[in-house]
Amino acid sequence: MYDYHLHTSFSDDAETPMNEIIEAAIAAGLDGIALTDHFDPLYPDEDFPCLLDIRGYETALTAAKERYADRLPVAKGIELGLMPGEALNICRDVVRGYDFDFVIASIHSDKKHCIHQDSFHKGRTLAQIIERYYSLLLDSITTYKDYDVLGHLNVIDRYTKGFAPEDLYMPYVDEILRLAIADGKGIEINTSAFRYGLAKRGTPTPAILRRYRELGGELVTIGSDAHRARDVGAFLEEGEAMLRAAGLRRIAVYMNRKPALIKLPE
Ligand SMILES: [Zn+2]
Ligand SMILES: [Zn+2]
């Protein structure tokens, strides 16, 4: 079992020190993890600016990877908050300038509003919200390619009133998946959906996961998106079940920005 989406106190919205997250993963009997703290340049929320002490973070990652090497493989990861425009240049410089094993690309905001804030949704119909969110993602990955997997692809579903029907979101998702696959990129199963009561919906939805496979994609990581020790490794089995249901039998893990596929137990 591999948990490839974990936050530590280096993230603005988490408080658990890195070593406690790693110890929790060892206690849970995991086979490998990626630490993926937030880096969202130009993030518009002043209370949680999502700035990252990138130098301190990378130094701590390197030390932790070495310290735990004989107990748990730790991938040095980062979760980028993409946004079309200047933020992409900042992301590019950071990913190039430091030695990461694994990079998640997510959308958390546009230039003015975070997707979880009312202001992102106010005055927009569901169709407009869906269009806005997926356009931010598609526009970002059309120019920005230095990432490994797309994080919580349909996370907007967590914040809309009612879920968008498949015929509303799938045209956007289809285009995003085609581009990601053509670029050799993966997607993730983010099992926080099970914690947030979105289990029936899923991140991604079963339809998205199936579509990714139909289009030829085979790189899928699973991550809890834990922000505290007790959620480390949570619902990974449910994540594996989602993968099987979509007709996939292997999960992806990354080191040195290169994927390896690991067969699920029979
Ligand atoms: Zn995220
Ligand atoms: Zn996250």
Side-chain angles (χ1 to χ4, degrees):
M1 304 273 260
Y2 294 81
D3 191 338
Y4 258 57
H5 192 147
L6 293 167
H7 294 276
T8 78
S9 53
F10 278 95
S11 289
D12 267 349
D13 60 353
E15 283 164 15
T16 311
M18 189 178 282
N19 67 311
E20 286 180 32
I21 293 291
I22 298 172
E23 296 286 348
I26 292 169
L30 301 188
D31 298 302
I33 60 167
L35 300 172
T36 55
D37 276 306
H38 286 296
F39 180 63
D40 292 63
L42 312 182
Y43 193 65
D45 187 341
E46 282 164 19
D47 297 331
F48 292 97
C50 268
L51 294 172
L52 178 64
D53 164 18
I54 185 79
R55 194 174 296 272
Y57 177 54
E58 207 249 359
T59 303
L61 282 176
T62 304
K65 184 176 175 174
E66 206 171 286
R67 185 168 353 114
Y68 288 95
D70 55 351
R71 295 168 72 196
L72 183 74
V74 176
K76 293 163 59 179
I78 191 165
E79 179 181 12
L80 303 175
L82 301 184
M83 182 197 300
E86 176 56 19
L88 298 179
N89 294 327
I90 303 172
C91 287
R92 191 175 288 118
D93 287 346
V94 160
V95 173
R96 273 193 198 149
Y98 295 87
D99 180 25
F100 289 107
D101 290 309
F102 176 60
V103 178
I104 300 176
S106 301
I107 296 292
H108 296 128
S109 77
D110 63 16
K111 285 193 178 72
K112 293 205 177 114
H113 311 288
C114 309
I115 59 167
H116 67 271
Q117 291 174 325
D118 287 344
S119 52
F120 185 86
H121 300 258
K122 223 170 149 185
R124 286 188 173 126
T125 63
L126 180 59
Q128 287 168 332
I129 293 164
I130 292 298
E131 202 246 334
R132 177 74 182 140
Y133 169 77
Y134 287 109
S135 298
L136 288 168
L137 179 51
L138 183 59
D139 290 351
S140 294
I141 63 169
T142 297
T143 52
Y144 184 80
K145 309 285 184 185
D146 204 352
Y147 70 95
D148 298 309
V149 303
L150 297 173
H152 46 58
L153 186 46
N154 60 321
V155 71
I156 193 66
D157 292 344
R158 198 186 291 168
Y159 311 113
T160 53
K161 289 191 197 84
F163 295 134
E166 207 175 309
D167 61 351
L168 188 56
Y169 71 82
M170 203 48 108
Y172 304 107
V173 168
D174 203 271
E175 207 176 333
I176 288 163
L177 292 179
R178 283 174 194 276
L179 179 59
I181 291 166
D183 289 336
K185 309 301 184 186
I187 62 174
E188 72 160 1
I189 294 174
N190 188 301
T191 65
S192 72
F194 295 95
R195 294 202 305 279
Y196 290 120
L198 284 176
K200 286 214 179 83
R201 182 67 165 173
T203 343
T205 62
I208 294 174
L209 204 51
R210 251 190 343 264
R211 190 74 187 121
Y212 178 71
R213 181 186 62 83
E214 283 165 10
L215 290 169
E218 52 177 13
L219 300 171
V220 182
T221 59
I222 303 179
S224 67
D225 211 345
H227 284 66
R228 53 188 180 180
R230 74 162 183 259
D231 293 329
V232 173
F235 300 104
L236 295 183
E237 279 162 5
E238 284 81 353
E240 289 187 2
M242 285 174 68
L243 199 62
R244 288 173 196 277
L248 288 159
R249 292 289 175 270
R250 297 184 297 177
I251 59 166
V253 297
Y254 285 75
M255 279 291 168
N256 299 313
R257 306 292 309 281
K258 289 198 173 57
L261 288 167
I262 294 175
K263 251 189 133 166
L264 294 178
E266 289 304 322

